Amino acid sequence: MAGLGGLVLTVAVFVVAWPLFTRMRNQRVWYHYLEDPYLHDSTDLAQLALCALPLFLLLLGIGSAAIQGACSRAVAGEAPRGDSPARLRPVLAVYVLRGLVVWPLPLIVAVVADRYTGYHLDTPLPLERGTWPYMLVKYSPLAALFVAVLLRLALTLAPAAAADGLGARAALRRSWSLTWTRVGAARVVALAVPLVVLTAGLLRLVTQVALPLRPLVRGILEDATGNFFAAYYAGILAPVIVGILVTAAVTVPLTCTAFAALHSHLHRRDALRDA
């Protein structure tokens, strides 16, 4: 259902963006009449996609929360049942809180670094290129990203803890306490690395296999609408959407089940040790 909702939202974004596609088409016709080259500006499309991003993340969160709940019940040996919004709320809250903990730091550092070292600057000021302060600021986003990855790994078990009945903050604390141990950290990393490799590899493979959809979708949509730019962007997105949907269908249940099982194992081990 979340995948279907994502497709519907993508179509809605294209409908909202249609005036932009129409303006691009008209400008292309006008420049062709003037016998001048036309290079379209996709800034407005990028801004519209950025505005729609929270809705896509919400759909992804709802779908992932439902799958996490089902996988956690399967690991616990409970009978499957439908999830009410009240049962999904703690898992969704975990996703939001985890995102607020993990991602602001690298984003802020990247913006600041670009502000002081970006190539858009006409002068070497405020930091002179080649000096050690310049290099330190330029590569600071890599350090911030490394910290974000460590935080993300430390909070990996939080959705499974929330699906187990904890509140959002309690789930984050449990994930932190279970992960920041020698055994917990090693097992989280040992499980996360193959899953990341599998997800990236499957996404690349399916997207490559689906590349023939690009000219097919572009040709059909251009013949139907007469708008080259709408057809062009739809053709670019078609194999990517197929890759994301197939990869999510395969890896999200696997990932949720694996981390639910790991959370259950580490929590029982921690409880036995305290006893």
Side-chain angles (χ1 to χ4, degrees):
M1 291 300 293
L4 179 60
L7 291 175
V8 172
L9 182 57
T10 302
V11 173
V13 171
F14 267 79
V15 172
V16 173
W18 203 261
L20 300 177
F21 294 130
T22 302
R23 187 180 66 185
M24 291 179 183
R25 181 194 61 189
N26 294 339
Q27 288 180 340
R28 184 189 185 199
V29 172
W30 174 248
Y31 275 79
H32 181 72
Y33 172 76
L34 296 177
E35 298 183 350
D36 287 336
Y38 171 62
L39 299 176
H40 71 280
D41 185 7
S42 59
T43 303
D44 292 338
L45 288 176
Q47 291 176 349
L48 180 61
L50 191 61
C51 291
L53 181 61
L55 296 177
F56 284 103
L57 293 177
L58 177 61
L59 288 173
L60 177 62
I62 292 173
S64 299
I67 294 174
Q68 182 66 70
C71 294
S72 294
R73 286 194 299 272
V75 169
E78 299 180 7
R81 60 179 182 272
D83 281 322
S84 65
R87 290 183 63 88
L88 296 180
R89 195 175 300 120
V91 185
L92 285 172
V94 162
Y95 289 140
V96 174
L97 289 177
R98 187 172 65 180
L100 292 176
V101 170
V102 172
W103 298 117
L105 176 63
L107 292 176
I108 293 173
V109 172
V111 171
V112 173
D114 183 70
R115 170 66 178 81
Y116 286 97
T117 65
Y119 285 100
H120 57 82
L121 299 175
D122 295 330
T123 65
L125 299 176
L127 295 175
E128 184 179 354
R129 290 183 175 90
T131 61
W132 70 264
Y134 174 88
M135 301 301 294
L136 185 64
V137 173
K138 180 179 180 180
Y139 292 105
S140 60
L142 294 178
L145 182 61
F146 179 75
V147 173
V149 171
L150 291 180
L151 289 174
R152 178 62 177 78
L153 288 173
L155 303 177
T156 296
L157 302 178
D164 201 34
L166 293 181
R169 288 182 294 179
L172 291 176
R173 287 194 297 267
R174 177 182 286 184
S175 177
W176 183 275
S177 64
L178 293 178
T179 304
W180 282 113
T181 62
R182 182 182 303 176
V183 174
R187 295 188 180 184
V188 167
V189 172
L191 189 58
V193 171
L195 289 172
V196 169
V197 173
L198 173 64
T199 302
L202 186 59
L203 178 61
R204 178 63 183 271
L205 175 63
V206 177
T207 302
Q208 288 295 118
V209 172
L211 281 180
L213 288 175
R214 183 167 291 175
L216 178 63
V217 171
R218 185 169 59 221
I220 293 175
L221 191 58
E222 186 173 6
D223 291 340
T225 64
N227 195 314
F228 166 79
F229 290 101
Y232 171 75
Y233 282 103
I236 289 178
L237 288 177
V240 177
I241 291 173
V242 171
I244 291 175
L245 291 178
V246 173
T247 303
V250 173
T251 60
V252 171
L254 178 62
T255 300
C256 291
T257 302
F259 283 117
L262 180 60
H263 165 263
S264 178
H265 171 75
L266 292 177
H267 180 53
R268 286 198 307 268
R269 183 178 180 275
D270 192 57
L272 290 175
R273 184 186 61 187
D274 292 340

